[in-house]
Amino acid sequence: MKKTTQALITSTALTTALLASASQAVTLNIPCTTGTGFVSCEKTAQEWAETRGHSINIVTVPFSSSDKLALYQQILASKSADLDVFDVDVVWPGILGAHLADLGPYTQGAENEHFESVIANNHYNGKLVAMPQYTDAPVLYYRKDLLDKYNQPVPKTWEQMTATAALIQKAEREDGNDRMWGFVFQAKAYEGLTCDALEWIDSFGGGSIIDGDGQITVNNPKSAAALDLAGSWVGNITPQGVLNYDEEGARRVFQGGDSVFMRNWPYAWALGNGEGSAVKDKIGITPLPMGPDGKHSATLGGWQMAVSKYSENVEVAADYVLYVTGKDAQRNGAIIDGRLPTIAALYEDPDVLAANPHFANMREVLENSVARPSSITGEKYNQVSNEFWNAAHRVLSGKSDGADSLSQLESKLERIRGRRW
Ligand code: GLC
């Protein structure tokens, strides 16, 4: 190591030591998700460490929500402090809540700045176990230039979207663009497919898998019709490869210029308009299409930050969580990574709106959002979701039709429920 670098490190360490007295300075193990948000995650964590005089050890964790959950459950089941904080998907408080520290004593009312419904969802047994970092609601991305070229309106229904996708795909291919597809989304067997399939079903009036009273409602003709329509896309307007796409898989195809439409979360906007993107300045955003009865639907997503009960530094970790979920961090998250804030005032911030003009219309999307049945199924949610995404995957891969797959799913869900959720 060069002397100057060594000196720099020593002096950074010195400053750090001066900020927090030796007895207080600690090292936190912090997860950052591999992929697009990694750089911001690491940068914010470093800023926190520098201002507070603590150190951080970044642990790279998987992108897929399902893989991440498996990892976190393993760490928490062994009561290990391998991670002091966790990023928590909106559907996990019931699954992980028992392992998370009560943040109530540390927030000093910070939770009152955030959307009430998100804060309500972050309670477990009456305790606030996580603070919101961003909310999430998917949209339909479309190629403005291609709709203009073929004189097509922005589709409002799934039927229109299917027809427009087919028309443009065919015309583009005839024009020599033989990689062109109509529509990409998430159809790998994981939590992302649960989100996509739930919004197809809900937009068709088929409900939300399990209703608020715990009744299993998913086995109905409207849900079956929704899945059958999605099944008809694969191999026609959607590549077979979609059966293995997560959000990033879909984004790569769309951002490479090879699809007319894409279902994705708002994060794909900033990247799609970034340097090197084949579709920079060619993208439009609109609510996901409606089903036959005129209902739009968007699965509610979002991420929170929580502190492990097994951390040796709960108070310091809580400070970190408040830092990365606070207004400044959420503002940066919106401007740099296109994330939807959970603090209402940020939707009026001129810089946030300049970076994300579609945020002005996100209220409508959020109002039409459908929640996954995680509150009612609590700890069993992941098993429920796993059966649901498998049921959707069977239809998309042509192994079954909607009606058969949902009838199988109903029996499986009954078995998981047992006497009660
Ligand atoms: C997004 C959502 C999250 C969801 C996940 C599925 O990250 O914010 O709630 O579970 O996608 O892939």
Side-chain angles (χ1 to χ4, degrees):
M1 189 183 294
K2 273 197 191 147
K3 264 198 183 144
T4 45
T5 322
Q6 179 66 58
L8 201 72
I9 292 174
T10 316
S11 89
T12 314
L14 251 173
T15 326
T16 304
L18 286 175
L19 281 169
S21 77
S23 62
Q24 288 169 330
V26 303
T27 300
L28 287 190
N29 292 322
I30 289 169
C32 283
T33 303
T34 180
T36 55
F38 189 88
V39 174
S40 307
C41 177
E42 196 177 32
K43 188 164 167 269
T44 314
Q46 252 148 17
E47 273 164 19
W48 171 82
E50 272 159 35
T51 50
R52 302 299 204 258
H54 293 298
S55 313
I56 46 160
N57 173 36
I58 302 284
V59 179
T60 307
V61 296
F63 178 83
S64 148
S65 171
S66 304
D67 294 348
K68 203 187 267 189
L69 176 62
L71 173 70
Y72 290 178
Q73 282 183 306
Q74 212 180 336
I75 293 177
L76 290 168
S78 65
K79 303 196 163 129
S80 122
D82 282 356
L83 284 175
D84 291 284
V85 300
F86 289 93
D87 51 329
V88 171
D89 197 340
V90 70
V91 284
W92 299 348
I95 303 177
L96 301 183
H99 300 281
L100 303 176
D102 179 8
L103 298 177
Y106 309 106
T107 61
Q108 297 179 328
E111 63 272 34
N112 300 327
E113 269 201 304
H114 299 264
F115 294 146
E116 236 178 280
S117 56
V118 183
I119 293 294
N121 186 66
N122 288 356
H123 278 76
Y124 179 82
N125 278 349
K127 297 199 167 87
L128 178 66
V129 293
M131 285 291 284
Q133 195 174 24
Y134 63 100
T135 185
D136 234 355
V139 287
L140 185 72
Y141 289 80
Y142 62 90
R143 286 282 300 280
K144 278 190 305 199
D145 57 324
L146 291 177
L147 293 190
D148 284 352
K149 178 171 169 192
Y150 294 99
N151 234 326
Q152 295 296 308
V154 176
K156 291 214 173 340
T157 65
W158 288 116
E159 208 188 333
Q160 287 166 2
M161 194 278 307
T162 308
T164 308
L167 182 144
I168 299 181
Q169 176 183 310
K170 183 164 178 278
E172 283 292 294
R173 286 187 179 200
E174 281 168 5
D175 216 16
N177 192 355
D178 57 3
R179 291 161 64 100
M180 184 54 93
W181 290 99
F183 182 40
V184 289
F185 51 94
Q186 296 74 41
K188 181 175 156 180
Y190 80 120
E191 185 63 26
L193 174 53
T194 288
C195 298
D196 288 44
L198 170 59
E199 64 217 13
W200 303 329
I201 285 182
D202 186 52
S203 73
F204 266 64
S208 54
I209 312 170
I210 293 164
D211 71 12
D213 299 328
Q215 295 295 324
I216 299 165
T217 57
V218 71
N219 185 16
N220 65 69
K222 290 183 171 173
S223 302
L227 290 186
D228 286 337
L229 172 67
S232 78
W233 295 328
V234 181
N236 289 313
I237 57 168
T238 301
Q240 283 288 342
V242 79
L243 297 168
N244 214 18
Y245 286 0
D246 60 7
E247 287 80 0
E248 288 292 82
R251 184 175 70 80
R252 272 192 284 272
V253 175
F254 185 78
Q255 200 168 304
D258 296 332
S259 183
V260 186
F261 297 108
M262 168 176 73
R263 181 270 185 207
N264 219 326
W265 307 95
Y267 85 98
W269 172 259
L271 298 158
N273 284 307
E275 285 315 315
S277 163
V279 293
K280 188 172 179 331
D281 301 326
K282 295 180 180 164
I283 312 172
I285 281 188
T286 191
L288 285 171
M290 302 184 278
D293 303 334
K295 188 173 195 290
H296 283 289
S297 184
T299 298
L300 186 66
W303 289 86
Q304 345 295 314
M305 294 296 296
V307 174
S308 165
K309 239 182 167 168
Y310 316 115
S311 165
E312 282 162 20
N313 301 293
V314 169
E315 192 175 349
V316 176
D319 178 65
Y320 174 76
V321 163
L322 289 167
Y323 185 89
V324 297
T325 57
K327 203 168 172 182
D328 289 348
Q330 286 211 358
R331 188 170 178 279
N332 285 337
I335 294 171
I336 300 165
D337 293 318
R339 293 175 167 176
L340 291 171
T342 58
I343 297 174
L346 289 172
Y347 287 84
E348 276 147 39
D349 183 302
D351 295 335
V352 168
L353 289 173
N356 302 281
H358 53 284
F359 275 20
N361 306 322
M362 281 313 281
R363 178 183 285 264
E364 189 195 342
V365 174
L366 286 166
E367 275 166 5
N368 285 312
S369 66
V370 54
R372 284 162 275 176
S374 55
S375 301
I376 193 87
T377 57
E379 249 180 302
K380 294 181 179 173
Y381 172 73
N382 196 46
Q383 281 168 276
V384 167
S385 183
N386 202 318
E387 292 302 346
F388 179 66
W389 79 56
N390 282 337
H393 203 267
R394 280 196 294 275
V395 179
L396 295 168
S397 55
K399 295 200 180 95
S400 170
D401 68 9
D404 279 352
S405 190
L406 291 178
S407 130
Q408 257 188 61
L409 171 65
E410 184 174 39
S411 322
K412 290 191 170 153
L413 294 183
E414 276 162 2
R415 229 169 297 142
I416 294 171
R417 179 183 57 197
R419 299 229 301 277
R420 64 189 160 76
W421 290 115

